[in-house]
Amino acid sequence: LAGGITIALDAMGGDLGCEAVVKGAGIARIRQPDVHYEFHGDEALIAPLLEEDAELKAVSSIHHTDVAVAMEDKPSQALRKGRRVSSMWLAIDAVKQGRAQAAVSCGNTGALTVMSRMILKTMPGIERPAIAAIWPTMRGESIVLDVGANVVAEKKNLINFAIMGEAMARTALGQPTPSVGILNIGAEEMKGNEDVKGAAEFLRDAELDFDFQGFVEGDDISKGTVDVVVTDGFTGNIALKTAEGTARLIGDYLSSAMRRSWASQLGYLLARGAFNVLRQRMDPSRVNGGVFLGLNGVVVKSHGSANAEGIAAALDLAIDMARNDIIKKIAADLEQVQDARDGDAANEAAPAKATEPTPA
Amino acid sequence: LAGGITIALDAMGGDLGCEAVVKGAGIARIRQPDVHYEFHGDEALIAPLLEEDAELKAVSSIHHTDVAVAMEDKPSQALRKGRRVSSMWLAIDAVKQGRAQAAVSCGNTGALTVMSRMILKTMPGIERPAIAAIWPTMRGESIVLDVGANVVAEKKNLINFAIMGEAMARTALGQPTPSVGILNIGAEEMKGNEDVKGAAEFLRDAELDFDFQGFVEGDDISKGTVDVVVTDGFTGNIALKTAEGTARLIGDYLSSAMRRSWASQLGYLLARGAFNVLRQRMDPSRVNGGVFLGLNGVVVKSHGSANAEGIAAALDLAIDMARNDIIKKIAADLEQVQDARDGDAANEAAPAKATEPTPA
């Protein structure tokens, strides 16, 4: 497959097992020509599934391992049993070896974070990678990061998230000059913790080639006020799951409301085309897949409970990132920002805190 | 009005002005007998509005001031111009003076936080008050706190939020033994930042008379997994606004889906009773009002853009908190926890970190 893209799949990590992964690849294959799929997992399970889809089989290879990282494993346990041998490790390693241009896993987020970082290493200037998610909005789609790779983010991490998210938005959303905002509890400049204030100040003053819009609030995410919403992984993960929970709650309200009278039941029948459209738009698998940004390679984290459609969406995203060589774009942007950062660091170094005891 | 409750209203702080406040009190009056309303604000604006509602006028008094805190004022500006003279200050001060049992304001959250704290002072053992919100769930309603009084919360603050939220749940939700969870990015014990882990460990081990369920995730809020969800004000505020934004996005999807064909339009007409029920359940004014917990007095923060219905909901909440003497309940609970906390502090003191340079 000269010129094509190879995607390495961790076929063992998800809640629904190999079947969802192979079927997901089958759906993605129809949409995405010229892609090779490298399945890492139990050959005895994967091979029969590929037999059912001759066209997928023709563009696939199986790399056998029967070691899987479990959802409940702590990252340290996952490493002890899975280092160099688990389907998750081997899929990421295919990217490191240059055999694949992206890895996709539905597995344990903590283990995936640790293994990806260990194998691919962070890009120069990046301490903490982030997971970026695509979020449906009133204007289309936005990117939100970090949604859970880290529990804390300092000023410099938030700045890097902004740079990386902006590069991803150009690729994934096709926005030539994406707008960027930092999530905060008020749009006013004086609100928020020191890290969000510091990051906003830097991005406002750094004169980067960058459409920085300052602070945005929680309700701005769904409004689509900006193309890229920057936050720490703790807040971002909770915001993402809160939105999922709210969507389910409203779906629940809606279906119980529709059952309350014969008129509403009839109305529901007449409008079922519209409800199907709504259901599709609210379907979390439609925008499944978080991209690890800041590593020397593309790794996409699919929802653990993703079905075949969800996995296909994660594969689309991985293929898009690989085709557009997102890593090179981010590297170029990080270089652009490094000068501004050096200047900023020099300013900050001046009033240094005397934390070291002075020798007597 | 012997035996009755007096509520002090900041009539000037909201986006919709005096009219929404007075009309909101008019709605609350019908539902809540035996309540006196003390309006703080411009008499020239309030008096004509009361003329339109003789029954409300009969249980109301006007305390004139024409100084209002503006939405865009920083807390320091609000204090400079509004200390002792603004409608917000005077409404809170009525609680301090014992004339009112609760104050309600739709005004600037930052100014309300600072003034409430300055006038009423925090309860013994409480460093940071919290704002508690009532959140609709699949099981009914839950309490989430802090939703924005503070931008950071340490372990001890989170523990206090749990204690105060549990006391509020007994009153506001009528739950005899409310369950409590701490918001985190995973239900596993090893996840999260040090503060959430420390608070969870304390609550797990403290043998309080308390149904502590450990960690919950963002989607657990709407599920109603626990009655009280504890989080820092930064995350809580963003989660709350993200949920509001998601509800609006889905409402938007729904109405555009219903317009897409004649069948769906007809279906919508037939089911409009059901849609009205849905709209009511999704109406943010239905559960309007955040309660400041941890102060020596009840202050309720209404949404700045609340209409009369929303203000009535905030008044219901304030009256409920005042009738049930929430402050006394919280004080009793805080005493109960103080012993456990003292033990914990003694344990923590033992392996103290050697952060101080030892004298040479």
Side-chain angles (χ1 to χ4, degrees):
Chain A
L1 267 97
I5 298 277
T6 296
I7 305 292
L9 291 102
D10 166 14
M12 312 274 282
D15 296 343
L16 304 181
C18 287
E19 189 171 348
V21 176
V22 176
K23 295 223 158 125
I27 296 168
R29 186 204 60 76
I30 297 165
R31 297 196 284 243
Q32 305 266 7
D34 276 348
V35 176
H36 181 85
Y37 299 93
E38 199 182 284
F39 293 97
H40 293 266
D42 190 342
E43 186 161 18
L45 297 170
I46 298 166
L49 291 162
L50 283 179
E51 285 306 323
E52 293 171 27
D53 185 342
E55 288 166 302
L56 177 63
K57 192 186 167 192
V59 291
S60 295
S61 57
I62 303 176
H63 294 239
H64 174 74
T65 175
D66 51 13
V67 182
V69 171
M71 278 297 177
E72 63 280 6
D73 285 345
K74 294 187 191 181
S76 55
Q77 290 174 304
L79 274 179
R80 255 198 312 279
K81 75 178 182 197
R83 190 173 187 146
R84 294 184 207 287
V85 293
S86 62
S87 57
M88 184 184 280
W89 180 284
L90 294 170
I92 304 163
D93 197 52
V95 177
K96 164 80 177 170
Q97 304 303 329
R99 224 168 48 235
Q101 283 68 53
V104 175
S105 173
C106 322
N108 181 324
T109 310
L112 189 62
T113 308
V114 170
M115 285 186 180
S116 298
R117 221 179 135 148
M118 195 173 274
I119 297 169
L120 295 172
K121 307 283 187 293
T122 54
M123 300 174 78
I126 299 289
E127 265 174 39
R128 296 176 185 276
I131 302 177
I134 293 181
W135 194 298
T137 73
M138 294 200 188
R139 285 177 51 235
E141 287 176 338
S142 294
I143 288 170
V144 180
L145 77 165
D146 176 18
V147 296
N150 309 285
V151 291
V152 287
E154 294 171 15
K155 171 187 159 181
K156 62 185 166 200
N157 308 123
L158 294 171
I159 295 167
N160 288 338
F161 295 173
I163 307 299
M164 299 192 297
E166 201 252 7
M168 178 172 163
R170 278 183 281 137
T171 300
L173 310 183
Q175 286 277 7
T177 51
S179 55
V180 179
I182 296 181
L183 197 56
N184 198 355
I185 63 169
E188 301 85 359
E189 282 184 33
M190 80 286 182
K191 282 193 178 169
N193 59 45
E194 292 312 312
D195 291 306
V196 300
K197 286 195 278 191
E201 198 187 338
F202 174 87
L203 290 170
R204 213 177 279 120
D205 298 345
E207 296 184 20
L208 302 171
D209 178 16
F210 201 81
D211 180 14
F212 180 62
Q213 297 282 334
F215 293 132
V216 295
E217 299 193 58
D219 51 341
D220 288 307
I221 310 176
S222 293
K223 273 187 206 159
T225 307
V226 290
D227 298 308
V228 179
V229 176
V230 172
T231 188
D232 66 274
F234 189 85
T235 311
N237 180 280
I238 286 169
L240 184 70
K241 288 189 175 161
T242 300
E244 288 172 2
T246 305
R248 267 201 298 273
L249 176 68
I250 295 171
D252 197 63
Y253 281 176
L254 185 61
S255 59
S256 75
M258 289 298 144
R259 280 194 303 266
R260 65 188 276 286
S261 71
W262 66 265
S264 61
Q265 287 177 31
L266 182 58
Y268 178 80
L269 283 176
L270 280 164
R272 67 180 180 280
F275 282 107
N276 285 338
V277 169
L278 180 71
R279 203 168 289 124
Q280 270 171 24
R281 295 196 76 170
M282 284 173 64
D283 180 4
S285 69
R286 198 176 64 94
V287 287
N288 182 44
V291 184
F292 278 90
L293 295 180
L295 298 171
N296 296 304
V298 178
V299 176
V300 171
K301 158 80 181 108
S302 156
H303 211 295
S305 61
N307 58 15
E309 274 298 344
I311 288 164
L315 283 166
D316 287 344
L317 187 59
I319 294 164
D320 188 34
M321 296 291 106
R323 278 230 171 87
N324 288 288
D325 211 344
I326 178 86
I327 305 297
K328 230 178 235 162
K329 286 189 179 155
I330 291 177
D333 284 4
L334 286 173
E335 256 178 56
Q336 184 208 350
V337 87
Q338 195 57 48
D339 292 341
R341 192 194 299 274
D342 288 344
D344 190 56
N347 287 338
E348 281 196 0
K353 289 179 216 129
T355 45
E356 295 288 317
T358 40
Chain B
L1 268 100
I5 298 276
T6 295
I7 305 292
L9 291 102
D10 165 14
M12 313 271 284
D15 297 341
L16 304 181
C18 287
E19 188 169 351
V21 176
V22 176
K23 295 224 158 122
I27 297 168
R29 187 204 58 77
I30 297 165
R31 296 196 285 243
Q32 305 265 8
D34 277 349
V35 176
H36 181 86
Y37 300 92
E38 200 182 284
F39 292 97
H40 293 266
D42 190 342
E43 188 162 17
L45 297 170
I46 299 166
L49 291 162
L50 284 178
E51 286 306 323
E52 293 171 26
D53 186 341
E55 288 166 302
L56 177 63
K57 192 187 167 193
V59 292
S60 295
S61 56
I62 303 176
H63 295 239
H64 174 74
T65 176
D66 51 14
V67 182
V69 171
M71 277 298 176
E72 62 280 7
D73 285 345
K74 294 186 190 181
S76 55
Q77 290 174 304
L79 275 179
R80 255 197 313 279
K81 74 177 183 198
R83 189 172 188 149
R84 295 184 207 285
V85 292
S86 62
S87 57
M88 184 184 278
W89 180 284
L90 294 170
I92 305 163
D93 197 53
V95 177
K96 164 80 176 173
Q97 304 302 330
R99 223 168 48 234
Q101 284 67 55
V104 174
S105 173
C106 321
N108 180 325
T109 309
L112 189 63
T113 308
V114 169
M115 287 188 180
S116 298
R117 223 179 135 151
M118 195 172 274
I119 298 168
L120 296 171
K121 306 281 186 296
T122 54
M123 300 174 78
I126 300 289
E127 266 175 39
R128 296 177 185 277
I131 302 178
I134 293 180
W135 194 298
T137 74
M138 294 201 188
R139 286 175 52 235
E141 287 175 337
S142 293
I143 288 169
V144 180
L145 77 168
D146 177 16
V147 295
N150 309 283
V151 291
V152 288
E154 295 172 14
K155 172 186 159 179
K156 62 185 167 199
N157 308 122
L158 294 171
I159 295 167
N160 288 337
F161 295 172
I163 307 299
M164 299 192 298
E166 201 252 8
M168 178 172 162
R170 279 185 279 136
T171 301
L173 310 182
Q175 286 278 5
T177 53
S179 55
V180 179
I182 295 180
L183 197 56
N184 198 354
I185 62 170
E188 302 85 359
E189 282 182 33
M190 80 287 182
K191 284 194 177 168
N193 60 44
E194 292 311 312
D195 290 306
V196 300
K197 286 196 277 189
E201 197 187 340
F202 173 87
L203 290 170
R204 214 178 278 119
D205 298 345
E207 297 186 19
L208 301 170
D209 178 14
F210 200 82
D211 180 13
F212 181 62
Q213 297 282 334
F215 293 132
V216 294
E217 298 192 59
D219 51 340
D220 287 306
I221 310 176
S222 293
K223 273 186 204 159
T225 307
V226 290
D227 298 308
V228 179
V229 177
V230 172
T231 188
D232 65 273
F234 188 86
T235 311
N237 180 279
I238 285 168
L240 185 70
K241 289 190 174 159
T242 299
E244 288 172 2
T246 306
R248 267 200 297 272
L249 175 69
I250 296 171
D252 195 62
Y253 282 176
L254 186 60
S255 59
S256 75
M258 288 300 145
R259 280 194 301 266
R260 65 188 276 286
S261 70
W262 67 265
S264 60
Q265 287 178 32
L266 182 59
Y268 178 79
L269 283 176
L270 280 164
R272 67 180 179 280
F275 282 107
N276 285 338
V277 169
L278 180 71
R279 203 167 290 125
Q280 269 171 24
R281 296 197 75 170
M282 284 172 63
D283 180 6
S285 69
R286 200 176 63 93
V287 288
N288 181 43
V291 184
F292 278 90
L293 296 180
L295 298 172
N296 296 304
V298 177
V299 176
V300 171
K301 158 80 181 110
S302 156
H303 213 294
S305 61
N307 57 13
E309 274 298 344
I311 289 164
L315 284 166
D316 287 345
L317 187 59
I319 294 164
D320 188 33
M321 296 291 106
R323 277 229 171 87
N324 288 287
D325 211 344
I326 179 86
I327 306 296
K328 229 178 235 162
K329 285 190 181 155
I330 291 176
D333 284 4
L334 286 172
E335 257 179 55
Q336 185 209 350
V337 86
Q338 194 56 48
D339 292 342
R341 191 194 299 272
D342 289 344
D344 190 55
N347 286 338
E348 282 196 359
K353 290 178 218 133
T355 45
E356 294 289 317
T358 40

